[in-house]
């Protein structure tokens, strides 16, 4: 996760960026970082502490992103995820996100990233 810090800081500096945190007791156990782009609200990061995997933290954060998007007047959210990250893609699919045919190579790792979208009703 330390390698993600520059990207997180860069996205936090975007106009309208929002950081949503999940807490358990006095500890942060996860966060979601999103910001508007010209068309939709984009989810840039969803991170959950490994000790909280499987506890519903990711689902709760995704629900909070949905609520934030609705409050801000968006009816669609998008994200890009490493295509072979089955843990992440499974979380997104279970939360109602839909994979698209849009795939690009991540400039840093060279791994394929796929765009997922979620329409809010």
């Amino acid at each position: 996760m330390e390698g993600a810090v520059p990207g997180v800081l860069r996205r936090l500096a975007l106009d309208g960026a929002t950081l949503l945190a999940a807490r358990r007791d006095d500890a942060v156990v996860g966060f979601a970082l999103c910001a508007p782009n010209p068309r939709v609200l984009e989810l840039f990061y969803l991170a959950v502490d490994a000790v909280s995997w499987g506890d519903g933290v990711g689902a709760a954060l995704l629900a909070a992103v949905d609520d934030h998007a609705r409050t801000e007047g968006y009816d669609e959210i998008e994200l890009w995820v490493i295509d072979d990250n089955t843990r992440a893609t499974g979380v997104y699919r279970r939360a109602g996100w839909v994979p698209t045919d849009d795939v690009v190579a991540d400039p840093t790792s060279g791994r394929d990233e796929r765009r997922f979208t979620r329409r809010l009703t």
Side-chain angles (χ1 to χ4, degrees), residues 11-94:
R11 299 302 186 324
L12 276 172
L14 295 172
D15 285 340
T18 300
L19 182 70
L20 304 167
R23 300 179 64 87
R24 180 173 293 134
D25 301 321
D26 289 330
V28 173
V29 294
F31 73 90
L33 173 58
C34 54
N37 73 29
R39 299 178 342 283
V40 297
L41 187 72
E42 185 167 355
L43 176 60
F44 288 103
Y45 288 96
L46 177 70
V48 175
D49 188 335
V51 300
S52 295
W53 287 356
D55 291 348
V57 174
L61 283 166
L62 290 173
V65 170
D66 287 357
D67 290 343
H68 174 68
R70 285 186 190 97
T71 299
E72 294 298 313
Y74 291 97
D75 60 3
E76 187 174 2
I77 314 168
E78 75 175 14
L79 62 83
W80 290 85
V81 62
I82 300 296
D83 207 24
D84 63 4
N85 183 343
T86 57
R87 176 178 295 278
T89 58
V91 168
Y92 298 132
R93 286 174 189 264
R94 285 189 296 279

